């Protein structure tokens, strides 16, 4: 399910016009907050179903990427992601894909 997303990201990374495009931090933070709500609300303690992944498996790389982008450890969105990450929960992969699509769209405005 996530392979198609990876192909789209690689295509955008090769697009020089896209790499030179700037986005507003406030808009991106708003998208991150919405994505976090989707992940937190879609997570469950039950992990005996097919198509689930650990919530930590998506929140850890997202948190690290935010820190890499310059967000501070004490920023509200990073603190919230770290708090959600501490729980042993599972999330449907389809919800993860929806969140990644949302963030991808927020980070790639029309040019």
């Amino acid at each position: 399910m996530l392979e198609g997303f990876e192909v789209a990201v690689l295509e955008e990374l090769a697009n020089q016009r896209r790499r030179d495009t700037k986005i507003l931090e406030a808009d991106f933070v708003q998208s991150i907050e919405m994505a976090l709500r989707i992940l937190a609300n879609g997570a469950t303690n039950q992990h005996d179903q097919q198509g689930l992944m650990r919530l930590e498996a998506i929140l850890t790389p997202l948190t690290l990427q935010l820190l890499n982008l310059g967000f501070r450890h004490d920023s509200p969105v990073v603190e919230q992601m770290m708090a959600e990450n501490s729980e042993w929960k599972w999330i449907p992969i389809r919800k993860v894909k929806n969140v990644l699509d949302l963030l991808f769209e927020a980070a790639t405005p029309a040019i």
Side-chain angles (χ1 to χ4, degrees), residues 9-66:
V9 169
L10 291 174
E11 288 174 1
E12 286 298 323
L13 288 173
N15 182 339
Q16 184 62 45
R17 286 182 57 208
R18 181 72 73 195
R19 287 191 297 186
D20 294 339
T21 303
K22 306 288 185 215
I23 59 171
L24 295 175
E25 182 179 335
D27 291 344
F28 190 67
V29 168
Q30 183 179 13
S31 296
I32 289 284
E33 290 170 344
M34 184 183 316
L36 184 56
R37 280 194 302 276
I38 292 168
L39 291 172
N41 291 338
T44 179
N45 290 326
Q46 299 175 355
H47 59 84
D48 55 352
Q49 301 173 13
Q50 292 279 46
L52 295 178
M53 66 185 285
R54 289 235 6 244
L55 183 59
E56 177 185 39
I58 188 61
L59 287 180
T60 297
L62 285 178
T63 303
L64 292 174
Q65 187 60 40
L66 288 179

